[in-house]
Amino acid sequence: MKKIMLHNTDLHVSNICLGAGNFGSGLDEAQTFAILDSFAEAGGNFIDTANVYGKWNPGGNNGSEILIGRWLKTRNAYKTMVVATKGAHPLLETITPRVSIDAITQDLAESRQALGLDVIDFYWLHRDDENIPIEEIIDIMEDFIAAGAIRYYGASNFRLHRMETALDYCQKNNLQGFSGVQNQWALAAPDPATPRHGDPTMVQNDSTFYDWHIKTRIPAIPYSATAAGFFHKIHQMNPQIDNECGISSQEKQRLSQRVNLDYLTLRNLAIYKKLVRVSVELNTDIHQLSLAYFFNLPFDAIPITAVRNHEQLKGMIDASNVELPEGFVIKD
């Protein structure tokens, strides 16, 4: 797998990050270790997990971090892997924010113990609390750096106005600040007119955020980076699309059996048709292209994607090495 030096850090990481939300939740220890072994053998070294991953299982522990910690120990992989984890997620039975010194301290201690790491290379705040001044949150995280508990920290599911205020505060006070943003973002974008369902605390990157990344060069490390395989799934179903990227009601009903209708927009269908052409030109899989999209952006963007088996892992590894034409960027 290809690697990049993450902007304004000394972290040399694979250009695709392995999502670990299903470690211990769908994948048992043997399956998890096999995936991690193959990922490392291919040159992958960037793993994304969280203190909350696994707490929905019976017993309620941070199962993903625990399995990763066992793997790091048995493989003695502490020096070769960059494990990013997250804390301060709301309790699962509520959406009440937990962005406080006590909650972060508790989550960080659990993560360090489970992972077997004295220092976390990259630590994400999993959610924001807009009732707390962002300056106070920055000060908390800077203190963790000073204490040697973390090296870099980032913002997951933070809105743009909060990031702008945080950056201004850090520049005025010569602080390290956020080294990355982890929001929901994929080449396939949901219909903006459709009400969003699920967790209302999740934040979607948009064109304004995109422009901010260009201006600040702060890396984006998005989750749900393939929109649950949207382009791959519709390609498998071989949809009938007219020259204006229209699609019939009957065809939409057929596709709805496998894909989220929120993504069946004219924009996404137009992008899909372009991906089909490029996939033929480059002899590259549609799914790989949806990940490789992030490689040619004018700022560091490392997509996070999870896999369930070695076939999916191979696709991710192959995507890491896709060579897109110079200047090739898919835009609206």
Side-chain angles (χ1 to χ4, degrees):
M1 295 184 70
K2 290 186 177 179
K3 292 187 174 67
I4 68 168
M5 187 70 74
L6 198 61
H7 181 68
N8 275 351
T9 77
D10 62 359
L11 300 177
H12 196 225
V13 296
S14 45
N15 62 352
I16 298 177
C17 182
L18 179 63
N22 56 359
F23 290 179
S25 302
L27 296 179
D28 61 23
E29 181 169 322
Q31 293 168 319
T32 296
F33 278 31
I35 291 292
L36 287 170
D37 284 342
S38 296
F39 179 64
E41 288 168 7
N45 75 331
F46 199 15
I47 303 171
D48 178 82
T49 185
N51 180 260
V52 75
Y53 292 167
K55 290 194 172 180
W56 46 74
N57 292 329
N61 63 14
N62 51 330
S64 176
E65 291 180 323
I66 290 170
L67 286 182
I68 293 170
R70 289 177 186 165
W71 180 83
L72 290 171
K73 182 176 181 179
T74 59
R75 303 313 193 250
N76 192 25
Y78 297 109
K79 293 182 179 180
T80 58
M81 307 304 290
V82 176
V83 180
T85 193
K86 300 183 284 291
H89 191 283
L91 297 177
L92 292 176
E93 62 271 15
T94 178
I95 59 172
T96 303
R98 290 181 60 250
V99 185
S100 68
I101 181 64
D102 290 341
I104 298 170
T105 299
Q106 175 186 331
D107 289 358
L108 180 54
E110 287 183 4
S111 296
R112 292 166 69 193
Q113 181 178 8
L115 293 167
L117 297 171
D118 293 330
V119 184
I120 302 295
D121 283 324
F122 204 111
Y123 193 76
W124 297 98
L125 291 178
H126 211 158
R127 293 292 191 274
D128 191 10
D129 182 351
E130 297 196 8
N131 293 313
I132 300 176
I134 195 67
E135 297 85 352
E136 291 184 18
I137 294 175
I138 292 290
D139 288 343
I140 290 172
M141 302 310 294
E142 294 290 325
D143 285 345
F144 281 121
I145 290 177
I150 63 175
R151 299 187 60 222
Y152 301 100
Y153 62 94
S156 181
N157 296 294
F158 279 57
R159 301 188 189 281
L160 182 55
H161 71 96
R162 296 279 281 177
M163 297 304 302
E164 292 174 329
T165 304
L167 182 59
D168 182 63
Y169 176 69
C170 291
Q171 290 176 338
K172 288 179 179 178
N173 292 276
N174 196 30
L175 301 174
Q176 178 174 295
F178 291 117
S179 294
V181 178
Q182 186 185 120
N183 289 342
Q184 189 175 39
W185 179 27
L187 178 55
D191 184 350
T194 303
R196 306 307 300 145
H197 305 291
D199 187 345
T201 66
M202 293 166 63
V203 176
Q204 175 88 30
N205 267 25
D206 56 18
S207 59
T208 307
F209 234 129
Y210 182 97
D211 292 340
W212 180 83
H213 280 293
I214 295 176
K215 180 177 69 174
T216 65
R217 300 276 320 275
I218 292 177
I221 307 178
Y223 64 90
S224 300
T226 67
F230 171 77
F231 291 120
H232 175 68
K233 289 176 180 177
I234 63 171
H235 190 58
Q236 287 182 318
M237 300 186 75
N238 190 27
Q240 300 301 308
I241 304 172
D242 66 28
N243 290 333
E244 285 71 40
C245 294
I247 190 167
S248 69
S249 298
Q250 183 178 3
E251 184 74 337
K252 182 178 291 188
Q253 181 61 35
R254 183 178 72 88
L255 293 174
S256 70
Q257 299 170 21
R258 292 206 59 197
V259 302
N260 186 335
L261 288 179
D262 290 351
Y263 287 90
L264 278 177
T265 64
L266 293 180
R267 170 198 179 274
N268 289 340
L269 291 173
I271 290 175
Y272 166 68
K273 292 182 74 173
K274 183 171 185 178
L275 289 176
V276 171
R277 293 196 301 270
V278 175
S279 69
V280 173
E281 293 170 8
L282 300 181
N283 191 27
T284 303
D285 180 83
I286 290 282
H287 185 70
Q288 293 170 21
L289 281 177
S290 69
L291 287 168
Y293 154 75
F294 292 97
F295 302 161
N296 274 21
L297 300 179
F299 52 88
D300 288 347
I302 300 178
I304 301 170
T305 187
V307 300
R308 295 191 303 272
N309 52 53
H310 277 80
E311 181 182 1
Q312 292 180 352
L313 180 64
K314 182 182 182 303
M316 186 188 81
I317 292 167
D318 290 345
S320 169
N321 298 303
V322 168
E323 293 281 354
L324 294 174
E326 185 175 353
F328 176 82
V329 177
I330 299 175
K331 300 191 72 174
D332 292 356

